[in-house]
Amino acid sequence: MAKLGLRDHKYDEFSAATAMDLLKMEVEMSSTSPNKTISLLRKSPSIELKSTTFFSKKTRRALCVLSVTTCIIVFLSWYYITQHGRMSIRRAGHIRFDPVTQELHLTNLNDDRVLRAEVGMLLPGDAYPLVCEDMFVKDAICIDWLKSGEDDERLARMEITSEEEGALIIVEIKWDSAKLDSPLQDCILMGDDHWYGGSLSSPPVWPLDRTNIEMQPFISRGNDQSAESFGGILERFWLSSSGLSLVVQDDVPLYVGSNDNHSQRLCFRSEALSSPFQNPLNDYPALIYKVFISNNVTAAHRHATRTLFKPPTHTPNPKSFSTPIWHTAANLPNISSQSLLRFVQLLKYNGFHSGDIELEAPAYIANHLESEMFLSTDVLTSSVGFNWTVHLSPYFDVASDSFAVLASKMFLIRDVGGLAPTLVEWRGTYSGILDVTNSEARDWLYERWQRFRKVNSFTSLVFEGGYGMPMPPHFEFHQFPDRYNDPTVFCTFYTKVADRLGRSGRRKCGHRSQESPLFIQMDPWGPNWHGENGLRGIIPAVLLHGILGYPFVIPPPVCGPIDTGHDTNHPLLDEELYVRWVQLMTYLPVMSFCVMPWDISPNATTYVQEMIRFHREEVSSMMKTWAQQAIINGEPIIRPIWWNRDNDERALTSDSEFLIGDQLLVAPVLEQGAKDREIYLPAGRWKDNLRGTIIEGGTLLTNYKVGLKDIPTFTNENYS
């Protein structure tokens, strides 16, 4: 294309005349036709129309390259200043991760989102992500988190992998901190999903999204546990109504917070410094957990029982299901031959001629294992038809003969790096703790107990304690199974001692020990309707045991513990509460009593006789049937009503009803003064055993009338 050219002048060396000529031409050309404009140009003395360019072709190319280079430099400078550290959303398999918001989404086989989480919550604000340079794995995301600065110091690495195994999706999330004092934390956003598992809380709540537990070490505690803390049954396993289960690796120094400050978050933290988890090698914190995505919540639990838990090797002694337990704690503050004889006589006088009489004196027994006789001949003779059960603990009073023997053999847990036994306060005395991780120490306890039991004709033993707390802050086990010394693992080894004593024993703790055939016996509660641990909390507690892989559970005994002093006007002895508690016990695996019925009223005594007979003749057979199933597939005996009926919102949140296997739905009355209650029947056909009618499932029964002696139950008509 022709352009205006200059003759004998450069572009920046116009003469004044030339400039004036151009100005005049511009004025004239603005009001003339194109042809006239060309004519004016030709007449101008200062310029001429010339088919040349301002610069040569070589110069123009150089200028073009310079312009492009300048644009690139400007863009890169802008990107570094404003976008440095930003990364696009990462996708791999069933994983979607946004590095900017640090939000993680997981999807199922239908590509529906089943989990939403906020990860890396404790990373500093100036941390930025960078794709790992040394990991190239299909269906995986790897990101290093760096601290902005001259050196771009690495803070942590996050690796997420995904794989499919048939109808199951397995996602592993792994964090490794680059600093000892830098904890890691991920939080699951509960949203509309419901979560179950973890640990028995105080008070028990079902489902977990109704709890409010602040972030704290995930360590088991016993009957002295404070409100809103973790209890004696504890597993690193959680289950979601969206059809997934989540398992945290055993060697993570784990802290857990559930709905802390009503945040609707389930948070997991790994903290290796200044924590109750011993870290002898000063390993940096790691947070590792797996998510198993199934079709529904029941399928997710079944996968766990097949692969994560070992089902019980046997059922408990079958007689245990039909034998009531009579606790002595509220009736015999001072155990003697005379008081025991009197207690047996009272049982017989009131029409009770069988059962387990439980002596709750663990400190006395532990400290006198070197002795011989405990029960007198008169007591043993008068108690024909009854079994004698005694409590034993791993705590030995420093003033006892047993403590001296164990200390000399180095069978007690020691201070870190020392030879001296570490001491804790237990039942008001300072005591050493038997180191049950030492097989020789376990043998010592087993042999002493066998001799003691034989001399005294004890039938079974209740293993007290075994919790992670009260473990001292600095301790040393003989054997550590994980790189972090988790105090709760004490229960796992303690159960090994209990298992050697046969199927008639009972224990108080549970951790990584689902294969044990022993009942887990809950501590006494109450007596109250609600409160910290009252009647209303028993169903959530029993359901949780089953979800965590412990189908054999003995619920808290009826209305204990209190010392009545045989005062029938005692303000805590509420006959209505007592009757409702007995009714609930009747449909659970074992009936146990802390307050005796004759301390309530003659009517209560007669009613308890009837309920014990009904449990023995009708309910215990169901329990034995489903106990056999439990050792095959690990599934609970007492089940939530959503079992095999997924995506039913009412069933997923029900905490006042339960199923015995697939056979019977029980809806006990749990509210004071109630003359009716609301009952939800999930999918199926149900026979109302009080009224004899058939009701289709998916039905909410409102204002269902109940009398004081009524227990609403519904038989599954589809069960065969």
Side-chain angles (χ1 to χ4, degrees):
M1 176 179 178
K3 295 185 178 180
L4 292 177
L6 302 179
R7 185 179 59 183
D8 301 327
H9 295 283
K10 292 182 180 180
Y11 182 73
D12 56 353
E13 296 176 349
F14 276 125
S15 65
T18 302
M20 290 301 295
D21 288 343
L22 286 172
L23 182 61
K24 292 177 182 178
M25 287 169 52
E26 181 179 357
V27 173
E28 292 186 40
M29 285 189 297
S30 64
S31 59
T32 58
S33 64
N35 292 332
K36 190 173 181 179
T37 299
I38 295 174
S39 177
L40 288 170
L41 289 170
R42 288 174 176 170
K43 291 178 181 180
S44 172
S46 303
I47 60 174
E48 68 178 68
L49 196 64
K50 186 177 180 182
S51 299
T52 62
T53 59
F54 291 116
F55 305 106
S56 67
K57 179 184 274 189
K58 185 176 181 180
T59 302
R60 284 188 291 113
R61 286 179 178 173
L63 288 172
C64 183
V65 171
L66 179 62
S67 300
V68 171
T69 303
T70 302
C71 290
I72 292 174
I73 292 173
V74 170
F75 174 78
L76 290 177
S77 299
W78 167 84
Y79 182 85
Y80 185 85
I81 294 171
T82 65
Q83 304 293 309
H84 182 54
R86 293 177 67 89
M87 185 186 296
S88 62
I89 293 175
R90 316 293 293 179
R91 291 180 173 85
H94 295 273
I95 310 164
R96 178 184 181 276
F97 178 65
D98 186 341
V100 176
T101 63
Q102 295 175 216
E103 192 165 295
L104 172 68
H105 293 182
L106 302 182
T107 59
N108 60 16
L109 291 174
N110 297 323
D111 207 30
D112 299 322
R113 189 180 72 189
V114 293
L115 183 138
R116 179 173 166 237
E118 294 174 344
V119 302
M121 301 294 293
L122 299 183
L123 291 171
D126 59 350
Y128 68 92
L130 191 68
V131 175
C132 304
E133 297 179 352
D134 56 350
M135 182 179 179
F136 301 96
V137 179
K138 182 183 178 182
D139 292 338
I141 295 173
C142 180
I143 296 176
D144 283 325
W145 294 86
L146 310 179
K147 183 178 182 180
S148 296
E150 294 183 1
D151 299 330
D152 284 346
E153 178 185 12
R154 189 166 78 89
L155 300 172
R157 167 169 287 195
M158 179 192 74
E159 298 175 11
I160 310 176
T161 59
S162 171
E163 62 177 313
E164 294 184 14
E165 291 185 2
L168 183 73
I169 300 168
I170 305 173
V171 179
E172 182 180 62
I173 296 95
K174 180 180 180 182
W175 284 90
D176 283 303
S177 178
K179 290 186 172 183
L180 182 63
D181 61 350
S182 295
L184 304 162
Q185 180 172 310
D186 290 357
C187 289
I188 309 298
L189 304 180
M190 294 183 182
D192 295 330
D193 297 329
H194 303 294
W195 286 79
Y196 317 89
S199 176
L200 182 65
S201 62
S202 177
V205 176
W206 180 275
L208 272 182
D209 29 295
R210 295 175 177 173
T211 62
N212 182 20
I213 299 179
E214 64 181 13
M215 181 67 70
Q216 59 187 280
F218 196 59
I219 296 175
S220 63
R221 291 171 173 81
N223 55 6
D224 59 343
Q225 72 181 103
S226 59
E228 300 178 352
S229 64
F230 302 116
I233 309 301
L234 184 140
E235 297 294 337
R236 299 179 172 206
F237 169 81
W238 289 264
L239 192 68
S240 167
S241 61
S242 63
L244 63 84
S245 62
L246 185 151
V247 181
V248 180
Q249 191 162 296
D250 288 331
D251 61 357
V252 171
L254 183 63
Y255 287 60
V256 175
S258 179
N259 199 22
D260 189 6
N261 291 322
H262 306 286
S263 62
Q264 285 297 295
R265 285 170 169 78
L266 177 60
C267 295
F268 306 103
R269 179 187 298 173
S270 174
E271 187 164 346
L273 198 63
S274 300
S275 80
F277 300 96
Q278 304 291 321
N279 186 13
L281 301 179
N282 284 330
D283 287 327
Y284 293 170
L287 179 58
I288 306 169
Y289 56 98
K290 287 185 177 181
V291 178
F292 301 89
I293 304 173
S294 304
N295 295 326
N296 53 63
V297 62
T298 306
H301 188 271
R302 283 180 172 144
H303 168 262
T305 58
R306 290 195 306 270
T307 60
L308 304 176
F309 305 148
K310 295 180 180 179
T313 55
H314 304 87
T315 66
N317 186 335
K319 293 181 179 179
S320 302
F321 291 100
S322 56
T323 304
I325 299 172
W326 307 103
H327 292 258
T328 60
N331 299 272
L332 303 177
N334 298 308
I335 294 180
S336 65
S337 294
Q338 185 177 0
S339 63
L340 290 176
L341 192 59
R342 171 65 177 164
F343 185 70
V344 172
Q345 291 171 345
L346 278 171
L347 283 169
K348 291 182 174 181
Y349 177 79
N350 286 280
F352 303 103
H353 299 279
S354 64
D356 277 356
I357 300 176
E358 192 164 302
L359 304 179
E360 286 134 312
Y364 181 90
I365 300 301
N367 294 329
H368 292 80
L369 284 176
E370 301 294 335
S371 305
E372 296 294 333
M373 198 67 176
F374 180 75
L375 294 177
S376 68
T377 304
D378 290 343
V379 172
L380 293 174
T381 302
S382 67
S383 60
V384 174
F386 291 91
N387 301 317
W388 289 95
T389 299
V390 70
H391 286 218
L392 178 67
S393 85
Y395 307 101
F396 293 83
D397 189 339
V398 294
S400 68
D401 294 338
S402 297
F403 178 90
V405 171
L406 292 168
S408 67
K409 295 178 177 291
M410 297 185 67
F411 285 172
L412 298 174
I413 295 175
R414 303 183 301 277
D415 287 324
V416 174
L419 300 178
T422 187
L423 302 179
V424 297
E425 189 173 353
W426 171 259
R427 301 287 173 89
T429 63
Y430 284 101
S431 303
I433 311 171
L434 185 73
D435 190 348
V436 292
T437 69
N438 185 336
S439 61
E440 293 183 7
R442 296 198 299 267
D443 290 342
W444 179 90
L445 183 63
Y446 175 76
E447 291 167 2
R448 293 301 188 281
W449 163 245
Q450 285 287 61
R451 185 180 64 189
F452 190 79
R453 179 172 66 171
K454 184 177 180 180
V455 171
N456 290 279
S457 299
F458 286 123
T459 304
S460 62
L461 181 68
V462 176
F463 283 79
E464 282 271 14
Y467 314 114
M469 292 291 183
M471 197 65 70
H474 304 289
F475 66 93
E476 185 175 289
F477 286 151
H478 177 79
Q479 174 185 347
F480 284 106
D482 304 316
R483 61 173 176 160
Y484 290 98
N485 301 339
D486 182 355
T488 304
V489 80
F490 185 89
C491 175
T492 309
F493 286 92
Y494 191 41
T495 303
K496 294 179 182 295
V497 182
D499 285 344
R500 291 181 64 182
L501 296 171
R503 294 186 292 164
S504 296
R506 303 193 280 273
R507 54 185 172 137
K508 292 293 189 77
C509 70
H511 178 64
R512 292 159 62 177
S513 54
Q514 287 87 349
E515 70 274 18
S516 172
L518 303 185
F519 272 110
I520 291 181
Q521 180 169 303
M522 297 179 63
D523 286 317
W525 287 2
N528 55 68
W529 293 89
H530 298 278
E532 285 301 320
N533 289 317
L535 177 63
R536 195 68 170 77
I538 292 178
I539 293 176
V542 174
L543 291 176
L544 181 77
H545 279 74
I547 289 298
L548 294 180
Y550 297 100
F552 308 132
V553 57
I554 300 175
V558 174
C559 291
I562 57 172
D563 181 8
T564 66
H566 304 290
D567 178 6
T568 56
N569 295 316
H570 196 288
L572 294 179
L573 295 180
D574 179 345
E575 184 167 355
E576 182 191 6
L577 174 61
Y578 195 86
V579 168
R580 294 304 189 193
W581 206 305
V582 169
Q583 291 173 349
L584 176 55
M585 293 298 106
T586 302
Y587 286 93
L588 294 175
V590 177
M591 299 183 73
S592 61
F593 300 84
C594 199
V595 172
M596 299 301 121
W598 57 82
D599 285 326
I600 305 298
S601 70
N603 288 336
T605 302
T606 302
Y607 188 67
V608 169
Q609 291 172 351
E610 295 172 358
M611 291 296 99
I612 289 177
R613 186 182 307 112
F614 179 80
H615 183 275
R616 181 175 62 248
E617 296 175 357
E618 302 292 338
V619 179
S620 64
S621 60
M622 279 192 291
M623 297 297 172
K624 294 172 187 177
T625 297
W626 294 105
Q628 288 293 334
Q629 289 296 311
I631 67 174
I632 295 172
N633 54 31
E635 295 182 1
I637 298 173
I638 305 301
R639 303 176 180 180
I641 66 170
W642 51 251
W643 196 264
N644 288 328
R645 299 163 182 87
D646 308 289
N647 304 318
D648 185 331
E649 181 65 19
R650 287 188 182 275
L652 289 168
T653 58
S654 175
D655 63 351
S656 64
E657 305 174 30
F658 60 89
L659 297 169
I660 301 178
D662 290 330
Q663 190 171 356
L664 189 73
L665 185 148
V666 184
V669 178
L670 306 173
E671 300 295 332
Q672 186 174 15
K675 299 296 189 295
D676 57 61
R677 68 154 293 170
E678 188 177 89
I679 299 173
Y680 180 68
L681 300 177
R685 296 183 78 244
W686 303 92
K687 179 182 178 182
D688 184 338
N689 294 317
L690 284 178
R691 292 161 172 73
T693 57
I694 302 296
I695 305 172
E696 291 296 327
T699 301
L700 179 65
L701 305 178
T702 59
N703 300 318
Y704 185 95
K705 302 301 180 184
V706 287
L708 181 60
K709 300 295 179 67
D710 290 336
I711 313 170
T713 62
F714 302 82
T715 300
N716 182 5
E717 289 290 288
N718 297 327
Y719 170 75
S720 57

